[in-house]
Amino acid sequence: MKRAVHSGAAVAVGLVLMLGGHPVYADDSRDGGGTGTGGTGTGTPDPQSGGDSAKGGIGAHIRISQSAVGSGRPTSNATSTNVNWKPPVCWYEPMYTSKEYEEFIKSAYAGAQEPAASYAKKRADEGFHKDDKGLWWQVKFRDDDFSADCPVTTDNWEIWVPPADPRPDPHKLTPEILSELAYNATKLPTPPVVLSPGAQRLVVNLGTRVKLDGDFDRVWTTADIDYKGVQMAATTVATPVALRVDAGTDDADPQSCTYDLVKGDGGYTVDSAGADCNVTYRRSSGSGTYPFKASITWKVTWTDSADPDGPTRAPALPDGLSTVEQDVAVKEIQAVNR
């Protein structure tokens, strides 16, 4: 169920609904095209993509690409460690020259009912900024959840942006907004945790050794736009820094352990053999199992370019998490005294 829309945005949403359920914009094929509207999908794996494991788009012309995460490794959407963090709900993208905007309004709104008819008349009365240097930027939504977080009205469904913008709209696309969209689109590999003894052969009062299996390295995601002379990009870089394991029961001592990851030739790894902390179960799981959970904490930084090794920018993005849960069976070893 979608959240309630505040009164100002309701009118703007009415424009969307009258024009087919989503923002309408001019055909961009002559300019190299975009990636279509809506959706944050990161595409399908492409082994020939030069290192990008997934490609897709969001908005009208923002492209999303992500680095490889390891052959055949399961992935999941990055989870923010900051429960209050939210990705952008909406933003403005460059869409039309003044001539294209005039053509768009006259064709897309021809015969429209209210409130679209009044909106088209308002823009016509303003003159579409004919002969002015600049572009019309149009609001785009991350999904269909139109909410009070995006204060769009019929006065600012599209905004005129001159080459030197004296007072940028807070929702106008910037590298920082691109970094947040890239973060939200990032898929992280689930922790390739190997247990010893095996998951179905854990033993009461015996420490559970954990290690990461195979190559496991940083992941980066780039969001960029190159349309009508507007070029910008941002790349988020997620670096694995720690592994936390949780026993899944109070009948363990300790119930959790955290290990720092170490960078090796094949990526980041950890092996808890000889560590000060190893989960030790104190009671058998009987005929059932315990939900053993492993979580990787990722330090996330961003740079205002398509280069993951570019200089780190502020403000900081929250750490990310990738988690995997598996059922483990814990048995007691019976000793016989003679």
Side-chain angles (χ1 to χ4, degrees):
M1 180 179 294
K2 295 181 176 63
R3 289 178 288 178
V5 182
H6 72 97
S7 58
V11 179
V13 173
L15 294 177
V16 177
L17 298 177
M18 282 191 154
L19 293 171
H22 56 78
V24 180
Y25 51 90
D27 178 14
D28 55 32
S29 58
R30 60 187 177 279
D31 295 289
T35 53
T37 58
T40 59
T42 54
T44 54
D46 178 9
Q48 304 301 322
S49 62
D52 291 338
S53 65
K55 294 186 176 183
I58 185 173
H61 304 106
I62 297 174
R63 297 167 297 186
I64 302 287
S65 59
Q66 182 170 316
S67 62
V69 295
S71 177
R73 178 154 293 157
T75 62
S76 60
N77 292 330
T79 301
S80 171
T81 57
N82 180 356
V83 296
N84 296 318
W85 185 87
K86 295 181 180 179
V89 174
C90 68
W91 58 90
Y92 288 99
E93 291 183 30
M95 291 302 298
Y96 319 101
T97 64
S98 58
K99 181 179 179 180
E100 289 170 341
Y101 187 57
E102 179 179 5
E103 294 173 351
F104 160 66
I105 292 292
K106 288 180 177 179
S107 62
Y109 290 77
Q113 300 177 6
E114 296 298 339
S118 295
Y119 181 75
K121 184 177 185 304
K122 171 185 173 65
R123 291 309 190 196
D125 292 342
E126 292 173 347
F128 305 108
H129 281 276
K130 287 183 179 179
D131 303 322
D132 290 343
K133 292 183 178 180
L135 293 171
W136 282 96
W137 291 45
Q138 187 179 69
V139 68
K140 297 297 170 188
F141 297 90
R142 180 170 47 84
D143 52 34
D144 291 334
D145 190 10
F146 305 109
S147 72
D149 294 328
C150 191
V152 179
T153 70
T154 51
D155 290 327
N156 62 358
W157 186 255
E158 287 104 1
I159 58 175
W160 174 257
V161 179
D165 195 358
R167 292 189 303 170
D169 186 282
H171 293 282
K172 178 184 172 185
L173 194 64
T174 61
E176 181 182 343
I177 290 177
L178 284 175
S179 76
E180 294 171 337
L181 293 173
Y183 181 103
N184 189 59
T186 295
K187 291 186 178 297
L188 297 174
T190 54
V193 173
V194 176
L195 304 182
S196 181
Q200 300 304 308
R201 296 185 295 110
L202 300 184
V203 178
V204 170
N205 294 328
L206 178 66
T208 303
R209 176 185 173 186
V210 297
K211 63 179 180 179
L212 295 182
D213 182 38
D215 58 334
F216 192 75
D217 216 329
R218 65 177 188 164
V219 172
W220 61 86
T221 304
T222 298
D224 73 282
I225 186 170
D226 183 358
Y227 189 67
K228 294 192 180 299
V230 176
Q231 295 178 315
M232 68 178 76
T235 300
T236 61
V237 181
T239 302
V241 294
L243 169 69
R244 175 188 168 99
V245 295
D246 292 275
T249 175
D250 293 340
D251 293 318
D253 182 24
Q255 295 174 26
S256 67
C257 291
T258 300
Y259 311 102
D260 292 334
L261 299 188
V262 178
K263 181 74 162 93
D265 294 338
Y268 291 83
T269 187
V270 69
D271 188 335
S272 72
D276 293 335
C277 185
N278 277 299
V279 167
T280 302
Y281 291 93
R282 298 307 186 189
R283 180 176 296 181
S284 165
S285 59
S287 59
T289 57
Y290 294 130
F292 184 92
K293 184 167 68 174
S295 300
I296 295 288
T297 298
W298 302 73
K299 180 69 176 178
V300 182
T301 59
W302 70 278
T303 183
D304 55 354
S305 72
D307 180 6
D309 295 315
T312 299
R313 301 303 186 189
L317 289 166
D319 290 346
L321 284 176
S322 62
T323 301
V324 66
E325 188 173 292
Q326 60 180 313
D327 293 330
V328 298
V330 181
K331 306 301 181 183
E332 291 190 26
I333 296 179
Q334 301 296 329
V336 178
N337 295 322
R338 295 184 181 276

